Amino acid sequence: MNRLLQYATLSFAVGLVAGCVTINIYFPASAAEKAADSIIDEVWQLAPPATPPQAPKEKTP
Amino acid sequence: MIRLLAFLFGCVLGTAAFAQGNLEINTPAIDNYKSSMGQRHAQLTPWYQSGAVGLAKDGTVFLRDPGAVPLAQRQAVSRLVAAENADRAGLYREIARANGNPGWEPDIRATFAQRWANRAPAGWWVQSATGIWQQKK
């Protein structure tokens, strides 16, 4: 009986670990898309505009 | 036994974090690539707009029409493209590594290639998965 319990525990553990490994091996495509979009946002918007805005002209009285 | 339980608990937590669907992209190395690419972007923009440089299907940038760059600037643009591609390669590699799966690099690269092309504004040139260059409408 004790032995059975041991086997059960062991297989349970193996199953859990296998589950974790499986999840970590498969590429999370939608998460990657989200990550890519957030990086692209930063890279393409971080830069100042190609044509710098002109300084406001001083008003001549 | 307690160690095993602790490990399993960590494992389950890790799984839960994955289920939330976020990749780790906040590391110092990734930040460095982002800011370096962000600063270079302003210099590359005119060449994207003129079509001299396009977004390639492998997630890199490509000097697809050197003739569209004045001779005097061609070397500088080549250098920009090379530097950008070095950063991009490093970025893809680092994202895969930061998420504990260096083997994901090709998938990360493919995802980025598709997203760069998708997000590019009208007028820029992008390469389709079959290798054909098209100007975005």
Side-chain angles (χ1 to χ4, degrees):
Chain A
M1 190 62 200
N2 198 10
R3 184 158 222 172
L4 192 69
L5 193 69
Q6 261 182 4
Y7 276 127
T9 313
L10 188 69
S11 60
F12 177 70
V14 168
L16 266 187
V17 173
C20 294
V21 170
T22 307
I23 281 179
N24 277 290
I25 282 175
Y26 285 108
F27 180 67
S30 71
E33 276 192 21
K34 264 202 318 198
D37 278 349
S38 102
I39 288 177
I40 291 170
D41 277 344
E42 279 192 57
V43 169
W44 279 357
Q45 288 176 7
L46 188 85
T51 49
Q54 289 184 338
K57 282 178 187 163
E58 279 179 33
K59 278 181 189 164
T60 45
Chain B
M1 189 62 199
I2 288 179
R3 270 189 204 172
L4 179 68
L5 275 180
F7 170 73
L8 288 177
F9 183 67
C11 208
V12 169
L13 274 188
T15 309
F18 256 91
Q20 303 248 328
N22 282 320
L23 284 191
E24 171 63 77
I25 50 170
N26 294 312
T27 73
I30 292 172
D31 284 346
N32 283 343
Y33 286 124
K34 279 197 300 197
S35 73
S36 158
M37 291 164 71
Q39 280 161 22
R40 191 180 301 107
H41 183 61
Q43 293 169 270
L44 278 169
T45 304
W47 308 114
Y48 290 139
Q49 287 166 346
S50 75
V53 176
L55 303 169
K57 63 176 179 166
D58 62 353
T60 62
V61 296
F62 185 68
L63 184 54
R64 49 175 292 279
D65 187 6
V69 183
L71 197 56
Q73 286 169 281
R74 216 166 284 167
Q75 216 184 353
V77 174
S78 292
R79 268 201 301 269
L80 274 178
V81 166
E84 174 72 10
N85 286 336
D87 275 355
R88 287 184 175 208
L91 174 73
Y92 305 150
R93 201 173 47 237
E94 185 56 28
I95 294 174
R97 206 196 58 78
N99 287 277
N101 283 282
W104 282 353
E105 196 263 4
D107 299 299
I108 304 266
R109 179 181 284 271
T111 305
F112 267 85
Q114 192 242 325
R115 296 313 296 161
W116 290 119
N118 205 288
R119 306 284 302 276
W124 292 22
W125 287 76
V126 301
Q127 191 181 29
S128 73
T130 52
I132 297 162
W133 285 98
Q134 286 161 319
Q135 189 171 25
K136 282 205 60 171
K137 297 216 164 69

